[in-house]
Amino acid sequence: MKKYLVLGILFILPITVYIFFAMSTNYFKPLPILTESVQELDGFKTLEGEPVQLKGRITVLGFFGSDLEVHRAYAYNLAHKIYTKNHSFNEFQFVILLPEGTEDQARNVSEKLEQIAPLDSWFFAFGSKENIHNVFNSLQSNLSLDSNLSTPFVFIVDKEGSLRGRKEDEEVGVMYGFDSSIIAEINNKMSDDVKVLLAEYRRALKKYDVDREI
């Protein structure tokens, strides 16, 4: 009896596991699009004077305003909980928009962030107040910037320039951005959503490679 039981388990278990993963593949849910066509980052320059853009990159987009020191802890939260885990993904980046004239503050914070991880995919980008407002407003969220052009909320923008988020979050309903001042929200909700979006593009790339081989 034991012999047949063991044989049955050995036969049924692989089939069960296969069906489970097959169902997971078929019912994979992408991260919802909340806003299409977020404004491109025209006119913004990095600390190195280079342009930066959303198109073609998965972007965590932040607005930390004219007093970056106030948001230093938020930047560290994001670096530890999100950036270090994902910056090696070729098309993933962090872009923090700041008003022109805050370059020295950004350099100081960058020195600290480099102790956490290489900043090859983390950019502080500088532009006019008008451009910052225009990009933020194009998100069409239910959030707002303060008088310093800042917010602790950060946003996930996909390669096509669309804002991704949650349509039915159990706590806030439609979730446009993630509060970087709340570690639990960054460590749980945002981390999960970034994983989902990266997995979405990895799956698309694998499918493309298979189709090319066919």
Side-chain angles (χ1 to χ4, degrees), residues 33-40 54-55 134-135 137-140 157-164:
I33 293 175
L34 302 182
T35 303
E36 294 183 355
S37 301
V38 175
Q39 181 168 308
E40 189 52 271
L54 301 174
K55 194 71 173 178
N134 288 342
V135 173
N137 291 338
S138 74
L139 295 168
Q140 300 178 32
V157 181
D158 67 21
K159 291 183 184 181
E160 289 70 42
S162 296
L163 175 67
R164 300 294 192 100

Short mmCIF file of all heavy atoms in Angstrom, two decimals, residues 33-40 54-55 134-135 137-140 157-164:
data_model
loop_
_atom_site.label_atom_id
_atom_site.label_comp_id
_atom_site.label_asym_id
_atom_site.label_seq_id
_atom_site.Cartn_x
_atom_site.Cartn_y
_atom_site.Cartn_z
N ILE A 33 -2.61 50.44 -15.90
CA ILE A 33 -2.26 51.77 -16.40
C ILE A 33 -3.29 52.76 -15.84
O ILE A 33 -4.49 52.58 -16.03
CB ILE A 33 -2.26 51.81 -17.93
CG1 ILE A 33 -1.13 50.94 -18.50
CG2 ILE A 33 -2.12 53.25 -18.43
CD1 ILE A 33 -1.14 50.84 -20.00
N LEU A 34 -2.81 53.80 -15.17
CA LEU A 34 -3.70 54.81 -14.61
C LEU A 34 -3.75 56.07 -15.47
O LEU A 34 -4.79 56.73 -15.57
CB LEU A 34 -3.26 55.18 -13.19
CG LEU A 34 -3.19 54.04 -12.18
CD1 LEU A 34 -2.78 54.57 -10.81
CD2 LEU A 34 -4.54 53.32 -12.09
N THR A 35 -2.62 56.43 -16.07
CA THR A 35 -2.55 57.61 -16.93
C THR A 35 -1.63 57.31 -18.11
O THR A 35 -0.51 56.84 -17.91
CB THR A 35 -1.98 58.83 -16.16
OG1 THR A 35 -2.77 59.08 -15.00
CG2 THR A 35 -1.97 60.07 -17.04
N GLU A 36 -2.10 57.59 -19.29
CA GLU A 36 -1.26 57.42 -20.47
C GLU A 36 -0.55 58.73 -20.82
O GLU A 36 -1.02 59.80 -20.48
CB GLU A 36 -2.10 56.96 -21.66
CG GLU A 36 -2.70 55.57 -21.48
CD GLU A 36 -3.47 55.10 -22.70
OE1 GLU A 36 -3.62 55.91 -23.64
OE2 GLU A 36 -3.92 53.94 -22.71
N SER A 37 0.58 58.60 -21.46
CA SER A 37 1.32 59.76 -22.01
C SER A 37 1.72 60.78 -20.95
O SER A 37 1.37 61.96 -21.03
CB SER A 37 0.47 60.45 -23.10
OG SER A 37 0.16 59.55 -24.14
N VAL A 38 2.46 60.32 -19.95
CA VAL A 38 3.10 61.25 -19.01
C VAL A 38 4.09 62.10 -19.80
O VAL A 38 4.78 61.59 -20.68
CB VAL A 38 3.83 60.48 -17.89
CG1 VAL A 38 4.60 61.44 -16.98
CG2 VAL A 38 2.83 59.66 -17.07
N GLN A 39 4.15 63.37 -19.49
CA GLN A 39 5.00 64.28 -20.27
C GLN A 39 6.47 63.87 -20.19
O GLN A 39 6.99 63.56 -19.13
CB GLN A 39 4.84 65.72 -19.77
CG GLN A 39 5.68 66.72 -20.55
CD GLN A 39 5.30 68.16 -20.24
OE1 GLN A 39 4.14 68.53 -20.30
NE2 GLN A 39 6.29 68.97 -19.87
N GLU A 40 7.12 63.88 -21.35
CA GLU A 40 8.54 63.56 -21.43
C GLU A 40 9.36 64.63 -20.71
O GLU A 40 8.90 65.76 -20.52
CB GLU A 40 8.96 63.44 -22.89
CG GLU A 40 10.37 62.91 -23.11
CD GLU A 40 10.65 61.61 -22.40
OE1 GLU A 40 11.10 61.68 -21.23
OE2 GLU A 40 10.42 60.55 -22.98
N LEU A 54 11.99 59.47 -20.13
CA LEU A 54 11.16 58.37 -19.65
C LEU A 54 11.05 57.27 -20.70
O LEU A 54 11.04 56.09 -20.36
CB LEU A 54 9.75 58.88 -19.31
CG LEU A 54 9.64 59.97 -18.24
CD1 LEU A 54 8.20 60.45 -18.13
CD2 LEU A 54 10.13 59.45 -16.89
N LYS A 55 10.93 57.66 -21.95
CA LYS A 55 10.68 56.71 -23.02
C LYS A 55 11.74 55.62 -23.07
O LYS A 55 12.94 55.90 -23.04
CB LYS A 55 10.66 57.45 -24.37
CG LYS A 55 10.08 56.64 -25.51
CD LYS A 55 8.58 56.47 -25.37
CE LYS A 55 7.99 55.81 -26.62
NZ LYS A 55 6.53 55.59 -26.49
N ASN A 134 4.56 70.97 -14.97
CA ASN A 134 3.96 70.36 -16.16
C ASN A 134 4.08 68.84 -16.13
O ASN A 134 3.11 68.13 -16.46
CB ASN A 134 4.63 70.90 -17.42
CG ASN A 134 4.25 72.34 -17.71
OD1 ASN A 134 3.25 72.85 -17.19
ND2 ASN A 134 5.05 73.02 -18.53
N VAL A 135 5.24 68.33 -15.73
CA VAL A 135 5.42 66.88 -15.65
C VAL A 135 4.51 66.30 -14.57
O VAL A 135 3.82 65.30 -14.78
CB VAL A 135 6.89 66.51 -15.37
CG1 VAL A 135 7.03 65.00 -15.12
CG2 VAL A 135 7.78 66.93 -16.53
N ASN A 137 1.72 67.53 -13.29
CA ASN A 137 0.31 67.61 -13.67
C ASN A 137 -0.07 66.58 -14.72
O ASN A 137 -1.22 66.11 -14.77
CB ASN A 137 -0.02 69.02 -14.18
CG ASN A 137 0.04 70.07 -13.08
OD1 ASN A 137 -0.09 69.75 -11.90
ND2 ASN A 137 0.24 71.31 -13.46
N SER A 138 0.90 66.21 -15.56
CA SER A 138 0.61 65.22 -16.61
C SER A 138 0.36 63.83 -16.03
O SER A 138 -0.20 62.97 -16.73
CB SER A 138 1.75 65.18 -17.63
OG SER A 138 2.90 64.52 -17.10
N LEU A 139 0.73 63.61 -14.78
CA LEU A 139 0.44 62.34 -14.12
C LEU A 139 -1.05 62.17 -13.88
O LEU A 139 -1.56 61.06 -13.72
CB LEU A 139 1.19 62.23 -12.79
CG LEU A 139 2.72 62.19 -12.86
CD1 LEU A 139 3.31 62.37 -11.46
CD2 LEU A 139 3.21 60.89 -13.46
N GLN A 140 -1.76 63.31 -13.78
CA GLN A 140 -3.21 63.32 -13.56
C GLN A 140 -3.60 62.53 -12.31
O GLN A 140 -4.56 61.75 -12.32
CB GLN A 140 -3.94 62.79 -14.79
CG GLN A 140 -3.68 63.59 -16.06
CD GLN A 140 -4.37 63.01 -17.27
OE1 GLN A 140 -5.44 62.44 -17.17
NE2 GLN A 140 -3.76 63.16 -18.43
N VAL A 157 6.54 54.78 -13.80
CA VAL A 157 6.20 55.07 -15.19
C VAL A 157 6.84 54.00 -16.07
O VAL A 157 8.03 53.69 -15.92
CB VAL A 157 6.70 56.47 -15.61
CG1 VAL A 157 6.33 56.76 -17.06
CG2 VAL A 157 6.14 57.55 -14.67
N ASP A 158 6.05 53.43 -16.96
CA ASP A 158 6.58 52.33 -17.79
C ASP A 158 7.33 52.83 -19.02
O ASP A 158 7.47 54.04 -19.23
CB ASP A 158 5.45 51.36 -18.17
CG ASP A 158 4.41 51.97 -19.12
OD1 ASP A 158 4.71 52.97 -19.79
OD2 ASP A 158 3.29 51.43 -19.19
N LYS A 159 7.80 51.91 -19.83
CA LYS A 159 8.63 52.27 -20.99
C LYS A 159 7.90 53.11 -22.02
O LYS A 159 8.51 53.85 -22.78
CB LYS A 159 9.15 51.00 -21.68
CG LYS A 159 10.16 50.21 -20.90
CD LYS A 159 10.63 49.04 -21.76
CE LYS A 159 11.58 48.15 -21.02
NZ LYS A 159 12.06 47.03 -21.87
N GLU A 160 6.58 52.97 -22.05
CA GLU A 160 5.78 53.71 -23.01
C GLU A 160 5.36 55.07 -22.48
O GLU A 160 4.63 55.81 -23.14
CB GLU A 160 4.54 52.90 -23.40
CG GLU A 160 4.84 51.69 -24.28
CD GLU A 160 5.55 50.58 -23.52
OE1 GLU A 160 5.18 50.30 -22.36
OE2 GLU A 160 6.51 50.00 -24.08
N GLY A 161 5.80 55.40 -21.27
CA GLY A 161 5.46 56.70 -20.69
C GLY A 161 4.12 56.74 -20.01
O GLY A 161 3.53 57.82 -19.84
N SER A 162 3.59 55.59 -19.60
CA SER A 162 2.31 55.52 -18.90
C SER A 162 2.53 55.34 -17.40
O SER A 162 3.43 54.59 -16.99
CB SER A 162 1.45 54.37 -19.43
OG SER A 162 1.12 54.57 -20.79
N LEU A 163 1.69 55.99 -16.60
CA LEU A 163 1.75 55.84 -15.15
C LEU A 163 1.08 54.53 -14.76
O LEU A 163 -0.05 54.25 -15.14
CB LEU A 163 1.04 57.02 -14.48
CG LEU A 163 0.91 56.94 -12.95
CD1 LEU A 163 2.27 57.04 -12.28
CD2 LEU A 163 -0.02 58.04 -12.44
N ARG A 164 1.79 53.72 -13.99
CA ARG A 164 1.25 52.46 -13.47
C ARG A 164 0.95 52.62 -11.97
O ARG A 164 1.63 53.37 -11.27
CB ARG A 164 2.23 51.32 -13.69
CG ARG A 164 2.61 51.04 -15.13
CD ARG A 164 1.46 50.52 -15.96
NE ARG A 164 1.93 50.01 -17.23
CZ ARG A 164 2.12 48.73 -17.51
NH1 ARG A 164 1.85 47.81 -16.59
NH2 ARG A 164 2.55 48.35 -18.70
#
